[in-house]
Amino acid sequence: MNFVVCLKQVPDTSEVRIDPVTNTLMREGVPSIINPYDAHGLEEAIRLKEKVGGKVTIVCMGPPQAKEALKKAMSYGADRAILLSDRAFGGSDSLATAYILSMALQKLHETEPIDLVFAGKEAIDGDTAQTGPGIAQRLGFPQLTYAIKVRELTETSITVERKTESGRQVVQAQLPALLTVEKELNDLRYASLPNMMKAAAYEPETWDAKTLPFDVKQMGLKGSPTSVSRIFAPPGRSGGEIIDASKDPASIAATVVQKLFQSNVIMVNPLAKGGKH
């Protein structure tokens, strides 16, 4: 089977900095990681390859330094990595990103039919959860979102368990299909030494805007109908009030209850007998 994983390199959220002038994330000097949700998609693709046979191809859109993320991804057992990198792609929102990635996947599909595409539920630097479904829509693939378990994979169909707001849902789709995955899907493996050595010497392919017949009106800033008007880090929380622990427990409890009343966290029920609450 032919598995494709859409992967993104993102800033480490513990080190995020924001440019106050452009309202964009500052990536220079900030450590980058593989988007965690995408990592679980890669893990599942490799597990399925080991189970049913086939190959795993990784596709990533990003700047040249994203090659490092692809090399790391290769160390887990993928077979091929492609970086989509061009200044013309810069500034793409989720709609334009889905367009660029879908064009690349369409080219792969034409030369070697794709059976299953994996994408993370969302990227932690954007949290839109729109790119995966956007790719599926453009390719005409069924989309199974928020997957937490692959129950069955045959030559023609896939059955997965997905997370919903009200519980769990089991759905089936015909192949080719696209999955967006949650972290609960699996546990990540450690890279083996042979794969690490192979990945260190591997050079990912690079496709630019001239590789495919891209429509410039559908990518970059021109192809992005959404824009960020303002982005900012939330202010830090002020320290809470500390109650003297040297008091007896009954006194501490009474103080806490009094403050909860004052803050209207708990209130007296006027209908309660004797004014009890």
Side-chain angles (χ1 to χ4, degrees):
M1 281 193 161
N2 191 12
F3 304 101
V4 175
V5 180
C6 295
L7 181 147
K8 184 178 183 181
Q9 185 186 54
V10 296
D12 189 336
T13 53
S14 64
E15 299 288 344
V16 165
R17 292 181 296 160
I18 298 166
D19 188 321
V21 177
T22 63
N23 288 321
T24 58
L25 294 175
M26 297 174 63
R27 298 179 183 271
E28 294 77 12
V30 177
S32 294
I33 58 173
I34 295 174
N35 182 50
Y37 293 100
D38 299 345
H40 287 274
L42 173 62
E43 172 65 29
E44 194 66 21
I46 294 173
R47 290 188 182 197
L48 291 175
K49 182 190 78 167
E50 293 171 344
K51 183 177 181 180
V52 303
K55 62 184 293 186
V56 175
T57 300
I58 310 165
V59 178
C60 171
M61 189 186 90
Q65 56 264 36
K67 284 186 177 182
E68 294 306 312
L70 288 175
K71 282 177 170 285
K72 185 173 181 63
M74 289 291 293
S75 71
Y76 295 117
D79 303 286
R80 182 184 182 188
I82 301 169
L83 175 64
L84 307 176
S85 186
D86 197 298
R87 286 188 177 275
F89 302 155
S92 294
D93 66 0
S94 57
L95 182 69
T97 298
Y99 166 72
I100 296 167
L101 288 168
S102 67
M103 289 290 286
L105 267 60
Q106 183 62 46
K107 178 178 179 179
L108 291 172
H109 191 53
E110 290 172 355
T111 56
E112 189 172 2
I114 296 171
D115 294 292
L116 201 55
V117 179
F118 287 90
K121 175 186 74 170
E122 61 190 8
I124 61 173
D125 63 345
D127 298 328
T128 66
Q130 295 173 345
T131 302
I135 294 170
Q137 178 66 25
R138 288 183 179 277
L139 293 177
F141 287 7
Q143 54 180 285
L144 307 176
T145 55
Y146 306 107
I148 58 173
K149 183 178 182 180
V150 175
R151 289 199 169 191
E152 183 180 23
L153 177 65
T154 71
E155 292 182 356
T156 59
S157 68
I158 184 170
T159 303
V160 306
E161 185 175 331
R162 65 187 297 267
K163 181 191 291 187
T164 69
E165 292 182 354
S166 58
R168 300 290 185 268
Q169 183 181 52
V170 177
V171 291
Q172 184 182 70
Q174 295 299 303
L175 301 181
L178 181 145
L179 270 63
T180 68
V181 308
E182 296 272 7
K183 293 179 181 178
E184 295 97 312
L185 181 64
N186 51 46
D187 294 321
L188 301 179
R189 71 184 62 199
Y190 290 102
S192 67
L193 182 58
N195 281 338
M196 291 174 65
M197 295 175 66
K198 180 181 176 182
Y202 181 82
E203 185 62 25
E205 301 170 44
T206 299
W207 294 2
D208 58 20
K210 298 177 182 179
T211 305
L212 296 167
F214 289 110
D215 179 357
V216 294
K217 295 181 180 179
Q218 296 191 59
M219 62 189 192
L221 291 173
K222 291 182 179 180
S224 301
T226 57
S227 61
V228 178
S229 60
R230 181 169 177 252
I231 185 170
F232 58 92
R237 292 184 178 182
S238 58
E241 182 179 350
I242 298 176
I243 298 175
D244 187 359
S246 63
K247 298 180 180 178
D248 65 279
S251 176
I252 293 174
T255 300
V256 171
V257 170
Q258 181 183 20
K259 291 186 179 296
L260 291 175
F261 272 117
Q262 292 173 346
S263 302
N264 293 323
V265 175
I266 57 176
M267 295 178 288
V268 174
N269 183 354
L271 300 180
K273 184 178 181 180
K276 295 182 179 180
H277 54 276

